[in-house]
Amino acid sequence: MKRTNTDVPSFGYTGAESHDCRMVNSVLARIGDKWSVLVVMFLADGSKRFNELKRLIGGVSQRMLTLTLRGLERDGLVTRTVTPSIPPRVDYELTDLGRSLQKHAVALAGWANENQSAIERARTRFDSERKQTS
Amino acid sequence: MKRTNTDVPSFGYTGAESHDCRMVNSVLARIGDKWSVLVVMFLADGSKRFNELKRLIGGVSQRMLTLTLRGLERDGLVTRTVTPSIPPRVDYELTDLGRSLQKHAVALAGWANENQSAIERARTRFDSERKQTS
DNA sequence: CCGCATCCGGCTGGATACTG
DNA sequence: CAGTATCCAGCCGGATGCGG
């Protein structure tokens, strides 16, 4: 989750390039944090207002939703449109870049669903084996 | 990797795919943590020993590599093979499940590379605009 | 309605030292 | 070589209250 590390050293993966690591990590940090992907998912079918997103996601604090949206905006994945009315209105929408990332997120979500039971079985099996040993 | 926060919310997101979200989040948490993906990448071309991985990754502490590998093993993504010799030898290898996940990781890495400059531009632009306002 | 400021508990992850 | 154990700083994220 924290990508504060800067000194990723030298060498490729299997044929891939080395300096990619930082960027990959940086992107994965976005993907991996608690709310970003959920926000991207819910923005898939069009722009949403702040509290609309908050209700949809359910369980996210105002603070974290704000921070998450700022992060996504900073990376150019969503746009923030302010309408200075009373009460104020703010709409968030995926950019093209955001939509292209969303495809991969959906793919990953699909993978998670397909292998959900396999992973859960592996986890419980691993945990039960551990309990016997201890 | 503590998975203590994965089984929390207890309320649905918007009805339809409520329990899917938890699983997706749980998987994304694994993907998003600091070292898992790096390990999976380096295991792509065959099994590796503990210190071999440590050298390859470079910058990971013994502790974190152990924790990361335990997490991956627990989820059924890698296998751990102990050879009780002197000195002891432990090999880690991707499972089929791990390899299927790796495909998506590679896809994401590719996306990160393709859009690296776009994201960096978005970031610096966002930051400079912020500086003016403050 | 939107979002920032503040406080704070708990988890993450690094450094180090010690076993088998 | 391959861990385990311990300590500890720093950040993540929740709750609450204020401000435009």
Side-chain angles (χ1 to χ4, degrees), chain A residues 3 11 56 74 123 127, chain B residues 13 34 56 74-75 127:
Chain A
R3 281 300 108 81
F11 42 68
L56 284 171
R74 190 173 107 97
R123 281 181 184 171
D127 292 343
Chain B
Y13 289 93
K34 204 170 177 177
L56 283 170
R74 188 173 107 98
D75 287 5
D127 292 344

Side-chain angles (χ1 to χ4, degrees), chain A residues 1 3 9 11-12 20 23 26 28 56-58 74-75 97 100-101 104 108 111 115-116 122-123 126-127, chain B residues 11 13-14 23 26 32-34 56-58 74-75 97 100 104 108 111 113 115-116 122-123 126-127:
Chain A
M1 245 72 119
R3 281 300 108 81
F11 42 68
D20 304 350
M23 198 55 198
S26 156
L28 290 174
L56 284 171
I57 296 177
R74 190 173 107 97
D75 287 6
L97 194 60
S100 73
L101 175 57
H104 294 284
L108 227 44
W111 182 90
N115 300 288
Q116 180 172 6
R123 281 181 184 171
F126 182 87
D127 292 343
Chain B
F11 32 68
Y13 289 93
T14 311
M23 195 55 199
S26 156
D33 81 344
K34 204 170 177 177
L56 283 170
I57 295 178
R74 188 173 107 98
D75 287 5
L97 194 60
S100 73
H104 292 285
L108 227 43
W111 182 90
N113 278 331
N115 301 286
Q116 180 171 6
R123 281 182 184 170
F126 182 87
D127 292 344

Side-chain angles (χ1 to χ4, degrees), chain B residues 22-120:
Chain B
R22 274 196 291 268
M23 195 55 199
V24 170
N25 262 351
S26 156
V27 170
L28 290 174
R30 176 140 299 315
I31 305 284
D33 81 344
K34 204 170 177 177
W35 305 108
S36 288
V37 170
L38 246 14
V39 168
V40 169
M41 290 301 202
F42 280 118
L43 285 179
D45 59 332
S47 73
K48 299 266 183 303
R49 299 182 57 175
F50 185 88
N51 273 3
E52 198 173 353
L53 274 174
K54 190 171 186 306
R55 270 193 311 275
L56 283 170
I57 295 178
V60 63
S61 64
Q62 232 165 358
R63 173 187 139 90
M64 285 320 295
L65 184 53
T66 300
L67 288 178
T68 301
L69 287 167
R70 284 292 172 284
L72 293 172
E73 187 195 358
R74 188 173 107 98
D75 287 5
L77 299 173
V78 306
T79 57
R80 180 171 177 270
T81 311
V82 183
T83 309
S85 55
I86 298 177
R89 176 195 180 95
V90 180
D91 289 280
Y92 293 92
E93 188 171 13
L94 284 182
T95 62
D96 290 338
L97 194 60
R99 269 185 288 275
S100 73
L101 175 58
Q102 197 232 354
K103 284 179 202 150
H104 292 285
V106 169
L108 227 43
W111 182 90
N113 278 331
E114 289 166 19
N115 301 286
Q116 180 171 6
S117 59
I119 292 179
E120 275 167 3

